[in-house]
Amino acid sequence: MIEKIKALLDIQNIDVEISKISNEFKEMPEKISFINNRIETEENKMQNLSLKVAELEGMSKDFQNNVADIEEKVKLIEDKLFSINSAKEFEALQKETGDLKRKKIEIEDNQLKTMEDIERYKKDSEQTKTKFEEEILPMKDEIGGLEESLGKSKEEIAALNKKRLDLSKEADKDFLKIYERLITNNNPPIISETKGEVCGHCNMKIPPQVYIKVLQEEELVLAPCCKKILIPSST
Ligand SMILES: [Zn+2]
């Protein structure tokens, strides 16, 4: 009986260790994904700002071309005006240059507004880039570190599980079955020493007939209070 319990206690030590490591790293994947999302958001923001600047610069170029086209047209018409005799045609052409010049002013207004937008977006883009370099880039290193320690913790758990499997092969099948059933729904420790007639896990008084069975050490005794496996105090 003592040897059978001893095997379970060895397994339990490993389970406690596994549980400790798992708890320590429980929130790590979520933390990593949170930081990754933050980095991604900032990267998207920078990209969107660059795209916006490029788009506005394209618009600005179009406006410039439109203005140049209009200036050329106006010049052609004005040259033509000198050689016209018909008053009606003269008036029509004058009206056309008037329309073109108004159109040109309108485009130049838009052009100016676009240039202002470009300045604004460029400034925003630079600020975002500075913030990225100062605040976000170091986060990538942080993630590297977190992933490395998470990887190590997984390796540790894998090694412990291998050790556990070896110990399980040596353990008593019936005892192990009970232990495994209990650990499925509970955190280790599963085996608890008594402190006198008191459960070592939850400090509840153990009924005398149960306590006698514990002391007899002939079978596995579960505590009525918390369903832990009770064993006699080792001290
Ligand atoms: Zn208890």
Side-chain angles (χ1 to χ4, degrees):
M1 171 77 183
I2 291 169
E3 279 310 304
K4 288 180 183 177
I5 286 288
K6 165 102 185 35
L8 287 190
L9 282 172
D10 289 342
I11 291 174
Q12 165 157 294
N13 284 339
I14 290 179
D15 285 340
V16 168
E17 231 175 303
I18 291 175
S19 165
K20 210 178 108 197
I21 298 171
S22 300
N23 277 330
E24 202 180 317
F25 288 88
K26 197 169 57 184
E27 276 148 27
M28 190 77 89
E30 207 184 318
K31 192 176 175 192
I32 290 174
S33 106
F34 178 82
I35 300 174
N36 267 329
N37 283 338
R38 175 92 201 277
I39 294 173
E40 206 180 309
T41 305
E42 290 296 321
E43 278 173 345
N44 283 339
K45 194 175 165 194
M46 282 203 302
Q47 204 192 0
N48 288 338
L49 285 170
S50 299
L51 288 173
K52 188 72 195 173
V53 168
E55 186 199 327
L56 289 169
E57 280 173 341
M59 277 169 68
S60 171
K61 189 105 187 91
D62 287 346
F63 287 142
Q64 272 175 5
N65 290 336
N66 288 344
V67 167
D69 284 350
I70 289 175
E71 280 170 348
E72 201 177 327
K73 269 185 201 163
V74 169
K75 194 175 173 298
L76 282 176
I77 292 170
E78 281 173 347
D79 287 348
K80 219 168 150 191
L81 283 176
F82 291 105
S83 53
I84 277 173
N85 297 318
S86 150
K88 210 176 162 190
E89 207 183 330
F90 189 85
E91 244 177 69
L93 287 178
Q94 257 193 334
K95 188 184 173 300
E96 203 181 327
T97 52
D99 289 347
L100 284 170
K101 281 174 182 170
R102 271 190 295 279
K103 180 85 190 150
K104 187 187 151 194
I105 289 169
E106 194 184 308
I107 295 172
E108 280 171 339
D109 280 349
N110 284 332
Q111 158 84 343
L112 199 67
K113 198 183 153 291
T114 307
M115 296 298 283
E116 283 167 7
D117 284 347
I118 290 174
E119 279 313 302
R120 200 156 43 81
Y121 276 104
K122 272 188 174 169
K123 206 172 158 194
D124 196 0
S125 179
E126 270 163 34
Q127 280 169 350
T128 308
K129 203 177 158 219
T130 307
K131 185 183 163 198
F132 188 84
E133 279 161 5
E134 284 170 3
E135 288 178 29
I136 309 297
L137 268 187
M139 286 183 185
K140 288 195 173 184
D141 293 338
E142 191 189 345
I143 283 196
L146 291 177
E147 274 172 346
E148 198 186 321
S149 51
L150 184 63
K152 268 187 199 153
S153 82
K154 282 181 181 161
E155 279 170 27
E156 270 178 70
I157 288 178
L160 286 168
N161 271 325
K162 195 187 165 295
K163 219 159 121 189
R164 190 188 195 279
L165 190 69
D166 292 341
L167 289 172
S168 301
K169 283 176 194 159
E170 306 296 320
D172 179 85
K173 296 247 168 331
D174 296 328
F175 274 33
L176 186 64
K177 215 166 148 185
I178 295 169
Y179 178 89
E180 297 288 24
R181 181 167 55 78
L182 290 169
I183 197 130
T184 312
N185 302 315
N186 296 287
N187 290 325
I190 294 301
I191 306 164
S192 177
E193 285 188 9
T194 54
K195 292 188 285 186
E197 280 181 60
V198 170
C199 169
H201 178 70
C202 60
N203 282 324
M204 294 284 279
K205 189 159 183 342
I206 306 163
Q209 65 274 28
V210 178
Y211 187 56
I212 287 166
K213 277 188 186 166
V214 173
L215 294 179
Q216 282 170 345
E217 293 189 88
E218 281 166 6
E219 57 184 300
L220 276 190
V221 184
L222 297 188
C225 40
C226 56
K227 305 291 174 230
K228 300 282 175 194
I229 297 170
L230 289 176
I231 57 170
S233 168
S234 57
T235 53

